[in-house]
Amino acid sequence: MVFYRSVSLLSKLRNRAVQQHSVSSSVRWLQIQASSDLDIRSHLKELIPEQQERLKKIKSEYGKVQLGSITVDMVLGGMRGMTGLLWETSLLDPDEGIRFRGLSIPECQKVLPAVKPGGEPLPEGLLWLLLTGKVPSKEQVDALSSELRSRANIPDHVYKAIDALPITAHPMTQFTTGVMALQVQSEFSKAYENGIHKSKYWEPTFEDSLSLIAQLPAVAAYIYRRIYKNGEIVPANDSLDYGGNFAHMLGFDSSEMQELMRLYVTIHSDHEGGNVSAHTGHLVSSALSDPYLSFAAALNGLAGPLHGLANQEVLLWIKSVVNECGENISKDQLKDYVWKTLNSGKVVPGFGHGVLRKTDPRYMCQREFALKHLPDDPLFQLVSKLYDVVPPILTELGKVKNPWPNVDAHSGVLLNYYGLTEARYYTVLFGVSRAIGICSQLIWDRALGLPLERPKSVTMEWLEKHCNKSV
C-alpha cells in the first residue's frame, strides 16, 4: 500500500512539474528578452543577420564555382568523399581530426571553462562555442547551465511511453521513444501551425533545441535506472553542471566520473555533418520537421552497428579477449587473437574511420585521461597493447585506408572502470552528447534558410549508358 501511495505521489509531483514547465515555457516564448551578455539567445540575434549576409554573398559570387568531380565510385560507395553539405559547427580534417568552430580538441581543453583549473571542459561551454563561434566566459557558461536546468523538467507522459516498452527493449529503442514522446511540446511545430514567418523559424527551433538538450540526460538516466537499477530513480542535483549532473542521475557521484562525463559529452558532441546521425538530423530537419522529430531520426541512425553502436561492440570484444586469454595477455598472444577475429570474417571494432587517416584525437584525449586517472587498469593496459598491435596487422592486410583507433576504441574502457559496465547502454550516452552538435546546426539551418535536401539519384542502367557515352 505504501508503494502505491508513493507511486501516486511521484505521479502528482511529475504532473505539477509538467504544468510549471508548460507555464514557464510559454512565458519564455512570449517574453521579449532584453539583450544580455550572459544570454546566448541575444548573441544569436546579433550573429544571425551577419551570417545570413555572408551566405548570400557566397551564393551570389561563388555559386557557379566547381568543388570537384563526382565519380561512379563515389555514387556507388555511399557518396563517400563528396562535398555537398554545409555544416558550420565543426569541420573534420583527415589528418588533423575534428575542429569545433576552428578549435582542436586540445585547444578546447585549454580555453573552454571547466569546474576546476586544469579540469575537463564543460559541455555547456562547447554548446556556446558551437552556437556562436566564440569562446565563452565562465559566467556565460554558468548562465547557460542555469538556463538548461530551468528547461529540464520531463512531462509524465514521457515516462509512461518508455514504461510501455518491455524492459528488454534495447536502450536506444527506449531513448528514441522518449524523444518522440517529448515532441508534443515542440514550440516550432506550434509556431508553424500558427503561420510563423520563415525569417523567424530559428527562434522556436532555438527553444526546442535548448529544451531537448536540457531534457535528454534525465530521460537517458531514467532508462539506465529502469533497466539496470530496478527502477530506482536518482533525482537531479541542481548544484551540478550538465555533465556532472548526468553522471549523478545515472548513479555515479565520484568527481572523476563526473569529469569523465564532461569530457565524454564534449568530444562526442559533433563530427561535422556527413556522418549518419548528423546527416540524418539535417536531412529530416530540411523538410521543416521540428528538432525532436529530426533528432529522433538521427538517433535511429546512431543506433546502427557501423556508427554509434560501435562503442558497445568494442568493450564486448575486449572482454572476449580477456575471457579467452586473461588480462595479462602478451602482445604475441594478442596478435594471434586479432588474426583469429579477422580470419573469421569479422572486424576489430574501434579501428578505422571513414574520413580520418590518423589516430582519432578523441581517442588520444581519452588515453591522456586514462594515463592520468587509471594507468594501472588492466583493460586500459590491454587497449594500449591493441594500439601497438592492431595498426600493423591492418596495414599488412592492405585493404584498410586508416588502421588507427577511433573514438570508440577507448570510451568503453573508461566507463567500465568507473562502474558503468553495461556496454549495451553506451550508445545512449553517445546520443545525449550528439544532441549538442546536431541541434546547434539545426538552429543555423533555420537561421540561414537552408533548403530542402534533395540530391539526384540514378539507376545502374543510367550509369552504364552514361559511362558508355563517355568512353
Side-chain angles (χ1 to χ4, degrees):
M1 193 68 177
V2 174
F3 171 75
Y4 289 108
R5 288 175 181 168
S6 300
V7 171
S8 177
L9 178 60
L10 178 60
S11 179
K12 289 178 181 178
L13 288 172
R14 282 180 181 164
N15 288 331
R16 188 178 303 166
V18 172
Q19 293 171 0
Q20 292 173 345
H21 174 69
S22 178
V23 171
S24 64
S25 295
S26 299
V27 170
R28 183 186 293 115
W29 176 237
L30 295 172
Q31 191 179 38
I32 299 176
Q33 299 186 11
S35 179
S36 166
D37 185 55
L38 303 182
D39 174 24
I40 194 169
R41 195 173 191 274
S42 298
H43 283 265
L44 280 175
K45 291 196 78 168
E46 293 177 6
L47 287 168
I48 285 171
E50 300 173 6
Q51 297 303 309
Q52 287 172 333
E53 289 303 313
R54 182 184 180 190
L55 183 62
K56 287 179 183 177
K57 184 177 180 181
I58 292 173
K59 289 172 72 174
S60 64
E61 295 184 8
Y62 309 117
K64 303 302 181 184
V65 174
Q66 293 187 347
L67 295 176
S69 59
I70 295 173
T71 66
V72 174
D73 279 342
M74 290 177 174
V75 173
L76 299 180
M79 299 190 290
R80 193 172 299 271
M82 291 184 190
T83 300
L85 183 64
L86 181 65
W87 195 268
E88 284 291 281
T89 50
S90 65
L91 184 67
L92 181 59
D93 182 90
D95 297 313
E96 286 189 347
I98 192 67
R99 283 187 175 271
F100 302 118
R101 291 286 190 169
L103 297 178
S104 67
I105 287 177
E107 289 169 341
C108 286
Q109 288 178 298
K110 289 180 181 177
V111 302
L112 290 179
V115 170
K116 57 184 179 181
E120 301 300 338
L122 289 161
E124 299 93 316
L126 186 74
L127 174 57
W128 188 291
L129 174 66
L130 294 183
L131 277 174
T132 69
K134 299 175 182 178
V135 175
S137 66
K138 182 62 163 62
E139 291 74 22
Q140 288 171 325
V141 169
D142 289 344
L144 184 52
S145 291
S146 178
E147 169 84 352
L148 293 174
R149 282 194 294 271
S150 74
R151 296 171 177 263
N153 291 322
I154 309 297
D156 193 53
H157 71 265
V158 175
Y159 298 113
K160 291 179 179 178
I162 294 170
D163 288 343
L165 293 170
I167 201 167
T168 55
H170 194 281
M172 283 296 285
T173 302
Q174 299 189 41
F175 193 38
T176 306
T177 299
V179 172
M180 288 299 297
L182 286 170
Q183 189 274 339
V184 298
Q185 68 187 8
S186 171
E187 295 289 352
F188 181 84
S189 180
K190 296 172 188 173
Y192 188 82
E193 288 180 5
N194 291 331
I196 187 174
H197 192 275
K198 63 182 181 180
S199 65
K200 300 290 185 182
Y201 282 172
W202 77 268
E203 296 184 16
T205 300
F206 173 88
E207 294 296 324
D208 283 354
S209 295
L210 256 65
S211 294
L212 175 59
I213 291 169
Q215 292 171 315
L216 287 178
V219 174
Y222 181 84
I223 292 166
Y224 178 75
R225 303 295 299 184
R226 176 181 186 245
I227 298 174
Y228 302 109
K229 303 298 177 182
N230 299 316
E232 298 171 0
I233 308 306
V234 179
N237 182 343
D238 288 341
S239 67
L240 289 171
D241 58 278
Y242 188 85
N245 194 37
F246 186 22
H248 165 74
M249 288 188 291
L250 288 169
F252 304 96
D253 282 319
S254 75
S255 60
E256 286 187 13
M257 179 57 165
Q258 291 176 3
E259 278 287 272
L260 174 60
M261 196 57 65
R262 293 172 188 124
L263 176 66
Y264 185 100
V265 173
T266 297
I267 66 174
H268 285 79
S269 62
D270 206 29
H271 216 232
E272 76 169 25
N275 64 76
V276 171
S277 56
H279 187 198
T280 301
H282 170 83
L283 171 64
V284 175
S285 176
S286 78
L288 293 186
S289 298
D290 63 61
Y292 298 94
L293 296 174
S294 303
F295 185 66
L299 285 178
N300 286 325
L302 191 69
L306 296 183
H307 191 17
L309 204 69
N311 57 9
Q312 165 186 313
E313 300 303 308
V314 170
L315 186 64
L316 294 176
W317 184 81
I318 288 175
K319 288 189 173 182
S320 74
V321 175
V322 173
N323 290 337
E324 185 166 328
C325 306
E327 289 183 343
N328 297 318
I329 183 173
S330 68
K331 288 186 179 180
D332 287 337
Q333 289 175 304
L334 194 52
K335 288 179 183 177
D336 291 339
Y337 195 89
V338 170
W339 277 114
K340 177 182 175 182
T341 299
L342 295 172
N343 290 333
S344 68
K346 300 176 182 178
V347 300
V348 179
F351 285 79
H353 193 274
V355 177
L356 285 170
R357 295 297 174 259
K358 61 172 285 186
T359 300
D360 193 334
R362 298 172 299 174
Y363 173 95
M364 293 306 299
C365 70
Q366 291 182 99
R367 176 173 172 79
E368 290 167 5
F369 186 95
L371 288 169
K372 180 179 179 181
H373 296 290
L374 49 136
D376 299 324
D377 176 59
L379 290 186
F380 167 58
Q381 292 180 347
L382 177 54
V383 166
S384 296
K385 291 176 184 176
L386 286 169
Y387 188 32
D388 296 330
V389 167
V390 175
I393 292 176
L394 295 181
T395 301
E396 183 180 338
L397 281 177
K399 299 178 182 180
V400 181
K401 293 181 179 179
N402 174 28
W404 305 105
N406 59 48
V407 65
D408 297 317
H410 216 306
S411 56
V413 168
L414 298 179
L415 294 166
N416 183 81
Y417 177 80
Y418 290 108
L420 209 169
T421 59
E422 298 87 0
R424 201 162 176 255
Y425 179 80
Y426 287 174
T427 312
V428 175
L429 302 177
F430 201 155
V432 172
S433 172
R434 190 47 60 93
I436 291 177
I438 290 176
C439 288
S440 294
Q441 182 60 41
L442 292 189
I443 294 168
W444 278 104
D445 287 349
R446 296 283 196 266
L448 295 174
L450 298 188
L452 176 71
E453 185 177 331
R454 179 58 171 89
K456 171 66 177 161
S457 64
V458 295
T459 64
M460 283 194 286
E461 181 182 7
W462 186 97
L463 284 174
E464 290 166 344
K465 288 181 179 179
H466 178 81
C467 294
N468 286 332
K469 289 178 183 178
S470 302
V471 175

